[in-house]
Amino acid sequence: MSAESILERCDDLATITSTPGSLTRVHLSAEHRAANDMIAAWMTEAGLSTWQDAAGNQCGRREGREPDLPALLLGSHIDTVPDAGRYDGMLGVLLAIAVADRLRDVELPFALEVVAFSDEEGTRFGNALLGSRALAGTWDDDWWNLTDDAGITLFEAFGDFGLDPARLPGAFRRPEELIGYLEAHIEQGPILDDADRRLAVVTSIAGARRFELEMIGKAGHAGGTRFEQRRDALVGASEVVVAIERISKARGVIGTVGRIEAQPGGVNVIPGRVEFSLDLRAEFDDDRDEALKEIFDEATAIAARRGLSFAHRELYRADATMCDLDLRAAVEAGIRATGDDEPLAFWSRAGHDGMAVAAVTPIAMLFLRCKGGVSHHPDEAVRKSDVAAALDAYEAAVLALAARR
């Protein structure tokens, strides 16, 4: 299989969308079903036996030199953010299928499996990594009560999709069933592009925490309320947003406020309540959590000074994940096989399914360059030559692991 055919399949997957003119595909939707069917057909063409697991992940497997050996798992995700690019996640799935196709006649000392995870982004239900957390057996039954924008619960969505929530444990994998997980992914950052390099090995995946923040004051008439009487929740929240940027820069972490909503929302009304988000991530959990404490202390002080009240609620937490040294060495060997004698190595600022899979088996990742580091946007772009290099490196990494066993 060639890089050109992989990119053509990315284009094919991009036609499966709930928003004509842009790409949006979310968990347990009709588009998810259609994408699974398309992926299953390609897995079958690559010589894999296929199934959809009890969480909606699309899976494929080829046995090793004898039946029932533990598997090396390859994969990524096929869900998207709204108005997405066509390579985040999908390219990694298609590279994994291509590796399986290339190795169909190679006898391996392990089984080879490919997985297309159903929900990495968390777009529909607000909690990321649902597909990979199910595979890893770290499911939290409280998630059944998560709701989408239409008020449909995750429990109901499972049933609508044809899945039985009671059978979810059938998706859980055991450590003895797997030898490791490898994922290829666009970098979603500019390091490779700035360095004019094609590939890199990932050292770790950032630890992230996400919060819903709330600043509460008192609404009032914009004309009739003097400044000394105001308890303007939006001004207080704005101070917190600026503090998040300042603290994040000073501590070397990544803090982002991606959503803010002022209520009651009238142009001539002082905002009495503001809800806003915080996404905070860092290479190391201690750095992230120390920055978080400083942010919350600062927000509390701002609220007190302005006669407001500040509250926060954690929505998501994924601690930093170190990539396995042996699997990293195999990825590095794969990159060297493409002619790069000194592979770049750095940590991932974005989250990935490997964060969840690491609970059940060791993980490693291969990054390939994306133009300008742009991701989660229709302008996502990759070079055909980079995809070809990634495919060669991915295949060589699997063979390096086989040689070691």
Side-chain angles (χ1 to χ4, degrees), residues 225-247:
T225 309
R226 297 192 303 269
F227 277 108
E228 59 269 22
Q229 295 176 316
R230 294 189 179 198
R231 294 167 56 200
D232 190 323
L234 182 55
V235 175
S238 300
E239 276 199 64
V240 175
V241 173
V242 173
I244 288 169
E245 181 185 56
R246 171 175 50 79
I247 293 167

Side-chain angles (χ1 to χ4, degrees), residues 96-161:
I97 294 172
V99 169
D101 182 59
R102 282 190 171 191
L103 296 176
R104 66 167 67 221
D105 296 322
V106 177
E107 186 178 83
L108 297 171
F110 42 73
L112 194 65
E113 292 191 15
V114 176
V115 59
F117 285 117
S118 59
D119 180 81
E120 188 255 18
E121 302 288 4
T123 300
R124 182 175 181 185
F125 293 100
N127 196 343
L129 306 175
L130 291 178
S132 46
R133 284 175 165 174
L135 180 141
T138 55
W139 189 267
D140 186 337
D141 282 341
D142 288 344
W143 297 340
W144 292 122
N145 297 317
L146 295 172
T147 58
D148 65 9
D149 290 342
I152 298 170
T153 67
L154 180 58
F155 186 93
E156 292 168 336
F158 258 65
D160 293 342
F161 196 74

Side-chain angles (χ1 to χ4, degrees), residues 341-361:
D341 293 332
E342 296 184 2
L344 285 181
F346 52 85
W347 62 285
S348 173
R349 277 74 173 166
H352 301 284
D353 286 299
M355 303 173 76
V357 179
V360 71
T361 196

Side-chain angles (χ1 to χ4, degrees), residues 157-342:
F158 258 65
D160 293 342
F161 196 74
L163 299 172
D164 182 354
R167 295 182 178 273
L168 181 69
F172 299 173
R173 304 301 297 272
R174 299 188 303 275
E176 60 269 23
E177 297 175 343
L178 302 170
I179 69 163
Y181 171 71
L182 297 182
E183 179 173 358
H185 206 286
I186 59 172
E187 180 197 340
Q188 299 180 282
I191 295 175
L192 281 168
D193 203 33
D194 288 349
D196 194 23
R197 302 284 290 275
R198 298 182 299 184
L199 307 173
V201 60
V202 177
T203 57
S204 66
I205 305 172
R209 297 177 71 176
R210 296 174 186 168
F211 293 85
E212 180 182 89
L213 310 181
E214 185 179 61
M215 193 69 78
I216 301 174
K218 185 175 182 179
H221 193 288
T225 309
R226 297 192 303 269
F227 277 108
E228 59 269 22
Q229 295 176 316
R230 294 189 179 198
R231 294 167 56 200
D232 190 323
L234 182 55
V235 175
S238 300
E239 276 199 64
V240 175
V241 173
V242 173
I244 288 169
E245 181 185 56
R246 171 175 50 79
I247 293 167
S248 297
K249 287 180 176 179
R251 288 187 170 270
V253 303
I254 305 171
T256 303
V257 175
R259 180 186 60 81
I260 189 165
E261 181 181 351
Q263 299 172 4
V267 68
N268 58 350
V269 181
I270 298 164
R273 177 191 180 101
V274 174
E275 294 178 353
F276 54 120
S277 63
L278 171 61
D279 179 297
L280 190 66
R281 57 186 75 194
E283 183 175 11
F284 302 108
D285 295 335
D286 287 348
D287 293 341
R288 176 200 63 195
D289 295 345
E290 289 170 6
L292 183 66
K293 181 180 184 305
E294 185 175 352
I295 288 169
F296 285 169
D297 287 347
E298 182 82 2
T300 301
I302 290 168
R305 187 174 68 249
R306 290 186 167 275
L308 309 170
S309 62
F310 171 74
H312 56 83
R313 180 170 69 92
E314 187 162 25
L315 304 175
Y316 169 84
R317 175 173 181 152
D319 289 342
T321 304
M322 300 301 297
C323 291
D324 178 77
L325 293 178
D326 287 340
L327 294 181
R328 272 180 54 185
V331 174
E332 289 172 352
I335 295 173
R336 288 192 182 96
T338 68
D340 184 347
D341 293 332
E342 296 184 2

